[in-house]
Structures are given as C-alpha cells and as structure tokens.
Amino acid sequence: MGFRRNRFLAWLPQLNPQIFILAFGRLLSQIGTGFTLFYAPIFFVNQVGLSSTSVGLSLGLAQISGILGRVLAGSLCDSPRWGRRFTLLISAVISAIASFILATANDFTRVVLGNLLLGLGIGLYWPATEAVVADLTTGKQRNEAYALTRLGDNIGLQLGIILGGLIISTSGNYRALFMIDGISFIVFFGVIFVAIQETNTAFKQSQPDQRGWGTNWWIALRDRTLLIYVIVNIMFTVYVSQINSTLPLYFNNFVNGGFSAGIISWLFIGYTAISVIFLLPISRWLNRFSHAQALSFSALLWGVGFIIIAWTGMVENQALILASLGLGILALAVICYTPASSSLVADLAPDSLRGIYLAINAQCWAIGYLIGPPLGGWALDQSPEIVYNFWISLAFSIIIALLILKVLDRRIKRQKQANLKSNQ
C-alpha cells in the first residue's frame, strides 16, 4: 500500500503546495459550475420559455462585464496594494451573488442581470488565479502546474455534471442547481481566505508603483507578439464556447430523436472524464514542443471534432456514437489548448506586468464568449442545413488559426535567440 502511494506521489508534478490547495479550491468551485454550465441553456429555453437567440445573447452579454472585470483584475493583481489574493476573494463574492440571482430568474431581464454579475466575477477570477500559478512556477514546470489546476476544474465539473443530472432526473428542479453553485463560490472564498497567501512579489508592499495603470496596459498592448497570439486565442475561445453553450441544445433539438437531459449529461461526463484522465499525461508529452506547436495540435483536433459534430446531426442512426467520438476529440483539443495558452502568455510577460498580460489572455475568453454563444444561438434558430454548415465552417476556420500559429512560433523563436545573444 505504501509502495502504491509513493508511486502515485511520484506521478504528481513536484509543485509548490499552494498550487495543490488552489487546485482543490477550484475543484470545489467547479462542482457548482458543473451543476449549471450545461443545463442552463436547456432550462431557460425549454422551461422559462426564452428563445435560443435570447439565451445566447444573455450569455454573450455577460462578457461585457467580464471584459471590465478582466481589465480591473489585471491592474489589481499587479498592484502592491491589492494583489492576487484580494482579487480572488472579491470574485468569489460577486459570483455567489450572481448565482443566487439566476436561481430566481423568471424573465430575460433577470437572466441578463445574473449573467452580467457572473461575468464580472469570472472576469476578476481568471487573471488572478492564472497569475498565482505563474508566480509559483518556472519553465516546463509551469505547463504541468496549469494542467493540475485545470485538472481540479475538470474533476469538479465532472462531479457537478453527475450530481446535476441526478437532481434533474429525480426532481426536475433546475433552480436548485444555481443555489448550489452559489454555495460552492462561498466555499471557494473560504479556501482562498484560509489557505492562499499573496504571491505578488514583483513589488515590495512598502514601495509605491512607479507607473500608472494606464501606462502598464499600454506597455502590454504594444507587445506585437502578444497581439498576434490574441487573434488566434479569440478563435480558440469561440470554439470552447460552442461546447459550453451551443452543443447541449444542439444535441437536444437537432440530433435525430433528440437526446434527453440524462443522455446529454452522460455525454459530458465522458467528455470531462477524458479531460481528467489525459490532461496531465498529454501536458507532459507536449513539453517537448513549443507552446505554439501545442496549440497547432489543438487546432487540428478542433477541426476533426467539429466535422464529426456536424455529422452527428445528419445521420439517422449511430448519432450517440458519433456524439461521443466528437466530444472526445474536442476534449483532447481543449487539453492541448489550455495549459499551453496560459504558459505561453506567462513566459512572454515581464514579472511586474504578469497580471495584466494574463488579464489580456483572459480577455480573449470574454471576447470569444461574447461572439460564440450569440452566434451559436442564432445558428440554432435557423434551418437544420444552416446548423450543420455552421459546424463545418468552424472546422475549416482552423486553416486561419494554423497560419497564425506558424507566424507566432517563428516570432517567439527569433525573440529567444535575440535574448540569448544579448545575454552572452
């Protein structure tokens, strides 16, 4: 028994203990998110009575406040007065309030209000948590650290999906899912408050920041390598948003016979299980490649996955097999994408601007989710032919992503060579 335990510990990455605590806190928080993430569109369309377009629009509008939250988070994280920990605590409080509002939503206005607050909370959350991981890691260790925290997210989501599907199948009470989501954010607040220390060491607490917030943002936005990355990262986040917001309703309304909520929950359990099982091994394997090359692998997988998803709606039989295969490939695409994207930005960022650089990275998610859910909701309100062509169009868009990533990879390699020569 002790031998097996030692082998398990040796398999885990050797990281700062705070990263494991943060991953555990994210697991608890994501359990609540798993309750609502995949079932909210179905609930607000099929039970509250909103249209697919209006639900997609409300999810997209959440990214407006999310953009504001990410801007604020980047500056707060890099501030010697506030820092990463404070930003995480505030994000948890706002997200809990948003979940309780959504639990009582009966009309479009309240759904929008809840999503705007939730967007603000999530906007504050991502730059702060990514900055904590970057502060406590270096080099290839950083890729595994991001993979570990994503592993906590994925396990939490899987548990949330399982329990959420159980609650819906036994009681049909969708609103209870939002209440539990709010409670999970309160628990996450407690974990951060008790166990996570401030990690921003770029400034001494007694030293005032010599640059204004606007100046720091301007320095980051003049980094052309970062801006090239931003373009392709927005494309990836549009892809991810389709999994979270469009696919559940697509499976429910456009696949032959329509998948029930129970079948959809099991499909996404499988999706999350693949993410849990393969996240660390694939992240370690990708360490032999550059971050841009890892993102290219992800782009290829997105293309294949979207074609299979389109095919799922066109066939008379075997739709469930195709849906499982398509979601499995998309899970691998996300695995290749998430650790590599965060590590790439953390490597580009100067220590004193790490929060702002990672806030810009998080802004890509806000923009992607501003575009993706309304676009997907619009497509689902059209004819089946347009819906199927929507997935195929997403698949062919990876050609643009691959070209941008090739340019990005060459640019980063040139910068590294120039830095080596200047240090010699």
Side-chain angles (χ1 to χ4, degrees):
M1 194 72 179
F3 175 72
R4 290 182 180 178
R5 180 175 178 271
N6 290 336
R7 287 189 63 183
F8 175 74
L9 293 176
W11 176 78
L12 288 174
Q14 303 303 305
L15 302 169
N16 187 297
Q18 283 199 84
I19 293 179
F20 288 94
I21 295 171
L22 180 64
F24 177 70
R26 286 171 62 158
L27 183 151
L28 295 176
S29 175
Q30 289 299 310
I31 288 176
T33 302
F35 277 116
T36 60
L37 187 62
F38 302 112
Y39 305 115
I42 296 173
F43 170 61
F44 287 119
V45 170
N46 294 344
Q47 292 203 9
V48 176
L50 302 178
S51 69
S52 298
T53 300
S54 63
V55 171
L57 180 61
S58 69
L59 293 172
L61 286 174
Q63 305 315 311
I64 294 176
S65 57
I67 290 172
L68 174 62
R70 287 162 173 85
V71 172
L72 184 60
S75 298
L76 289 174
C77 285
D78 287 338
S79 168
R81 184 176 180 182
W82 304 110
R84 285 56 152 146
R85 182 174 179 270
F86 171 83
T87 309
L88 283 173
L89 292 172
I90 292 298
S91 75
V93 171
I94 294 174
S95 298
I97 294 172
S99 296
F100 294 137
I101 290 175
L102 288 172
T104 62
N106 287 310
D107 52 37
F108 178 70
T109 301
R110 190 166 292 187
V111 171
V112 169
L113 176 61
N115 276 298
L116 285 173
L117 278 177
L118 190 61
L120 179 62
I122 293 173
L124 289 167
Y125 166 80
W126 280 111
T129 189
E130 300 281 74
V132 169
V133 175
D135 291 341
L136 299 174
T137 56
T138 57
K140 292 183 177 180
Q141 181 192 51
R142 183 170 289 159
N143 209 41
E144 292 192 24
Y146 280 120
L148 180 68
T149 52
R150 293 288 181 177
L151 182 64
D153 294 339
N154 291 336
I155 292 174
L157 279 174
Q158 182 169 352
L159 292 174
I161 292 168
I162 293 172
L163 295 175
L166 181 63
I167 291 173
I168 291 172
S169 62
T170 56
S171 69
N173 189 349
Y174 282 86
R175 296 191 185 276
L177 304 183
F178 293 100
M179 296 297 295
I180 298 171
D181 192 20
I183 294 170
S184 75
F185 283 117
I186 295 174
V187 174
F188 181 66
F189 177 95
V191 172
I192 299 301
F193 186 82
V194 171
I196 299 297
Q197 301 174 358
E198 178 55 51
T199 62
N200 182 7
T201 59
F203 299 100
K204 295 180 180 178
Q205 294 299 317
S206 59
Q207 175 187 354
D209 189 357
Q210 299 299 315
R211 296 189 299 257
W213 285 5
T215 303
N216 291 337
W217 277 91
W218 178 243
I219 292 171
L221 292 173
R222 291 176 61 189
D223 187 333
R224 292 186 179 180
T225 304
L226 178 64
L227 295 181
I228 292 172
Y229 161 77
V230 162
I231 296 171
V232 73
N233 197 31
I234 290 172
M235 296 180 67
F236 279 115
T237 56
V238 169
Y239 298 161
V240 175
S241 73
Q242 303 311 314
I243 297 176
N244 297 336
S245 64
T246 308
L247 264 183
L249 202 55
Y250 172 74
F251 287 150
N252 188 248
N253 294 348
F254 284 89
V255 173
N256 185 40
F259 293 157
S260 66
I263 291 176
I264 293 172
S265 68
W266 278 109
L267 281 171
F268 281 98
I269 287 169
Y271 165 86
T272 313
I274 290 173
S275 301
V276 169
I277 294 169
F278 292 103
L279 186 54
L280 280 176
I282 289 179
S283 297
R284 286 179 178 174
W285 179 74
L286 289 174
N287 277 336
R288 69 191 69 186
F289 303 101
S290 69
H291 298 317
Q293 289 170 337
L295 293 174
S296 296
F297 292 139
S298 176
L300 292 170
L301 290 168
W302 282 113
V304 174
F306 283 140
I307 289 174
I308 294 175
I309 292 299
W311 193 12
T312 300
M314 299 177 186
V315 297
E316 294 292 331
N317 301 305
Q318 286 81 47
L320 184 57
I321 295 174
L322 288 173
S324 302
L325 178 62
L327 266 178
I329 293 173
L330 293 181
L332 296 177
V334 175
I335 288 172
C336 293
Y337 162 62
T338 46
S341 63
S342 298
S343 296
L344 186 152
V345 177
D347 289 350
L348 288 177
D351 290 347
S352 61
L353 298 179
R354 186 170 285 156
I356 287 177
Y357 268 65
L358 289 166
I360 291 173
N361 180 51
Q363 287 288 21
C364 297
W365 286 78
I367 297 171
Y369 271 77
L370 183 63
I371 298 170
L375 182 63
W378 171 85
L380 294 182
D381 280 336
Q382 309 307 311
S383 66
E385 290 76 16
I386 292 178
V387 174
Y388 306 143
N389 286 328
F390 168 71
W391 298 114
I392 294 172
S393 299
L394 288 178
F396 278 98
S397 70
I398 70 157
I399 297 173
I400 299 173
L402 289 171
L403 292 174
I404 296 173
L405 287 167
K406 189 172 183 179
V407 172
L408 181 65
D409 195 35
R410 288 178 178 176
R411 187 177 182 90
I412 292 174
K413 287 178 178 177
R414 284 199 301 266
Q415 288 181 345
K416 288 182 177 179
Q417 291 173 354
N419 292 335
L420 287 174
K421 288 181 180 179
S422 64
N423 293 329
Q424 288 176 354

